[in-house]
Amino acid sequence: LDQKIFSKHQKKQRMVRVVKMVSVFTVISVMMMMAKMTEAKNTTQCSSSFNFTSADGQLQVNGVPFTLKGVSWFGFETTNNVVHGLWARDYHDLLDFISSNGFNAIRMPFYLDLVLNDAQPNSITFYQMNQDLQNLTSLEVMDKIIQAAADKGLLIMLDLHSFEAGTNLEDGLWYNPTHPESLVIEGWEKLANRYVDQWNVIALDLKNEPFQTTWGGPNETDWRAASARIANHIISFVSDRFLMFVEGTSDSPVCAQNCFWGEDISGAITLPVEIEIENKLVYSPHCYGPSVAYQPYFQDPTFPANMPAIWDAHWGLVPSSTGHAAVLGEWGGQEEGIDAEWLSAFVSYLQKRGLTSQFFWCLNPDSGDTGGLLSYDWITPDTEKLALLQELDNNPAVFSYSNDQFCVSM
C-alpha cells in the first residue's frame, strides 16, 4: 500500500488549528443560492409506500431518479461514542444547519462493538442544550438524532467504520481475529432490526474502506463475495428495503495509478457483486485530493486535465457498465491552492458524468486533512465549501413522511 494514503486516516482525528473567518457578503451569497434552490422545486409526489432502488446507473425512489446530497457526521466510531460537536451545539441546531443548506442525507459512521454492547456517550454538553439526551446510552442518542433527522426530511446511511472505537486504520478487512464475519453479520442484523421501521434510514454502508481486500480471489480477502453474503443475510433475515452500499478496494484489480482506500471499484465491471435483490446494490467509492495524500498524478504538468481519465479508470465508468448507481461515500478537501483546483475539477467531472449523488466528508471541523463544513467553533460555516456543493447540486430532492404519506419534491 502507498504509505501516503495512511496520512488521510491518521489526520482525520486531529483538530483543525485555524478557524476560518468568512465575510458577511459570502454568507449572504450562499443564503441567496439556497433561496433559489428552494424556488426551483416544482414537482411533489406522494405515496403510501416508498422503495429506494439502484437502477439504470442511478438512484431512484418509486421509479423516479433523484440525487443524494449528503454529508458525513462522524463520532459514533470514536471513543466519544457519539457524534462530535454536541459539546458545542444542540443536535437540533446542527441538523437545522444541514437541512437549511440543502442537504437531504447524512452518513453516520459507527463502530461494531458499540452496536453489539452499547456504550455511554462522554462528550455532550447538557447546559442549555441537548437536555433530552441526558442519561441515555449511545444507541439511545443515535435513536434521538435519527428521529430528529426524520422530522427534517433527512435520510440516513449507517456506516460500519471500524470494529472498535477508533481502529479504522487497522480494520482493512471486513473482519478481524476478534470480530469474525459471523459477529459482523450479527451486528448488522441487530442494527438493521433497530431501524427497520424508521422510514429515513434507507442505506447501509457495509464496511468502510476495506483496503486489504481483493475483488475476487481467495475467500479470506474476497470483498466482492463477502459483501454479497452480508447484504443477503440482511435482506433474508431483516428486510429487503435497505440500499446496500459496497465500497471499493485500494488496489484490486491493480490500480495503474494509486487509488485511495475504497476507491477501486473497477472490478465490478467484469465481476459485479451479486445480491438477491439486484436493484438494492449501490457501489460507493471514496476519492480525495492532495490534502489527503499527495499522489504522483497531482504533479502531472497537465493537472487537473489529467484527472477525468484516472477517475474513469478507478470507478467512474461503473454505473454505465453495470447499471448500478455509484454514490461517492467520501470526498472533500481544503479550499485553497492545488486542493481548490482538484475540488473544482472533481465537481465538473461529477456533473459531466451525471454522478452528483454523494456524501461529502464532512460536517465536522475536526477532520485534520480536509476540514469540514463548520469551523472549529462549530458555528461559523465554511461558505466556500457550501458554495461548491451548491454548484454541484442546486436542486436535490426534498423528502417528508407524515400521516402514512411519503412525499418527495424534485
Side-chain angles (χ1 to χ4, degrees), residues 142-143 146 158 191-198 201 241:
M142 186 182 289
D143 294 343
I146 288 176
L158 300 168
L191 197 62
N193 271 314
R194 189 179 189 95
Y195 296 117
V196 68
D197 295 322
Q198 182 69 45
V201 178
R241 76 172 191 84

Side-chain angles (χ1 to χ4, degrees), residues 42-50 61-65 398-400 405-410:
N42 53 23
T43 301
T44 300
Q45 298 181 10
C46 296
S47 174
S48 59
S49 62
F50 57 92
V61 57
N62 292 348
V64 179
V398 174
F399 301 96
S400 65
Q405 285 288 303
F406 170 82
C407 296
V408 56
S409 299
M410 303 285 190

Side-chain angles (χ1 to χ4, degrees), residues 277-335:
I277 302 180
E278 186 177 358
N279 67 3
K280 292 296 182 178
L281 173 65
V282 179
Y283 293 108
S284 188
H286 290 188
C287 191
Y288 282 100
S291 69
V292 170
Y294 207 95
Q295 309 291 6
Y297 41 75
F298 298 142
Q299 298 175 306
D300 189 289
T302 65
F303 177 86
N306 63 319
M307 293 307 304
I310 293 170
W311 293 322
D312 277 350
H314 292 176
W315 61 274
L317 299 181
V318 168
S320 59
S321 300
T322 67
H324 293 288
V327 176
L328 280 160
E330 287 187 20
W331 69 289
Q334 306 286 355
E335 271 281 3

Side-chain angles (χ1 to χ4, degrees), residues 56 93 100 106 138-139 194 246 258 283 323 338 386 397:
D56 301 323
D93 293 342
S100 65
I106 298 170
S138 293
L139 288 177
R194 189 179 189 95
V246 176
N258 294 344
Y283 293 108
I338 190 173
L386 290 172

Side-chain angles (χ1 to χ4, degrees), residues 46-252:
C46 296
S47 174
S48 59
S49 62
F50 57 92
N51 185 27
F52 288 92
T53 56
S54 168
D56 301 323
Q58 56 194 337
L59 294 177
Q60 299 181 5
V61 57
N62 292 348
V64 179
F66 76 98
T67 57
L68 278 178
K69 184 175 181 178
V71 61
S72 289
W73 183 8
F74 69 78
F76 277 112
E77 84 289 8
T78 71
T79 54
N80 297 97
N81 299 323
V82 70
V83 287
H84 287 185
L86 302 190
W87 55 76
R89 300 281 297 277
D90 186 274
Y91 71 97
H92 293 96
D93 293 342
L94 290 168
L95 290 171
D96 282 339
F97 173 83
I98 293 169
S99 177
S100 65
N101 280 286
F103 295 92
N104 59 18
I106 298 170
R107 178 174 177 257
M108 192 171 290
F110 66 91
Y111 68 92
L112 181 62
D113 282 353
L114 183 143
V115 172
L116 293 170
N117 306 314
D118 211 342
Q120 292 296 320
N122 57 43
S123 57
I124 303 176
T125 296
F126 299 116
Y127 180 68
Q128 296 185 339
M129 62 180 76
N130 300 311
Q131 293 180 0
D132 59 335
L133 303 184
Q134 293 186 76
N135 302 315
L136 299 184
T137 68
S138 293
L139 288 177
E140 289 169 339
V141 171
M142 186 182 289
D143 294 343
K144 284 274 193 178
I145 293 173
I146 288 176
Q147 180 55 56
D151 295 340
K152 300 180 187 303
L154 293 168
L155 306 178
I156 299 292
M157 178 166 75
L158 300 168
D159 154 45
L160 176 55
H161 214 72
S162 59
F163 303 129
E164 300 175 35
T167 63
N168 56 294
L169 290 178
E170 306 163 22
D171 299 336
L173 298 169
W174 66 94
Y175 65 94
N176 70 12
T178 58
H179 299 80
E181 182 178 310
S182 59
L183 196 62
V184 172
I185 289 175
E186 179 184 334
W188 267 125
E189 183 175 342
K190 180 180 178 181
L191 197 62
N193 271 314
R194 189 179 189 95
Y195 296 117
V196 68
D197 295 322
Q198 182 69 45
W199 75 268
N200 63 320
V201 178
I202 69 159
L204 312 177
D205 190 346
L206 299 180
K207 175 62 179 72
N208 181 68
E209 297 179 351
F211 57 89
Q212 292 177 320
T213 63
T214 56
W215 199 269
N219 290 336
E220 59 270 20
T221 61
D222 185 359
W223 172 232
R224 169 182 174 263
S227 62
R229 288 193 300 272
I230 298 168
N232 285 335
H233 182 93
I234 297 168
I235 290 170
S236 297
F237 292 95
V238 182
S239 175
D240 60 4
R241 76 172 191 84
F242 298 108
L243 293 171
M244 302 294 176
F245 276 55
V246 176
E247 299 187 25
T249 68
S250 65
D251 195 32
S252 177

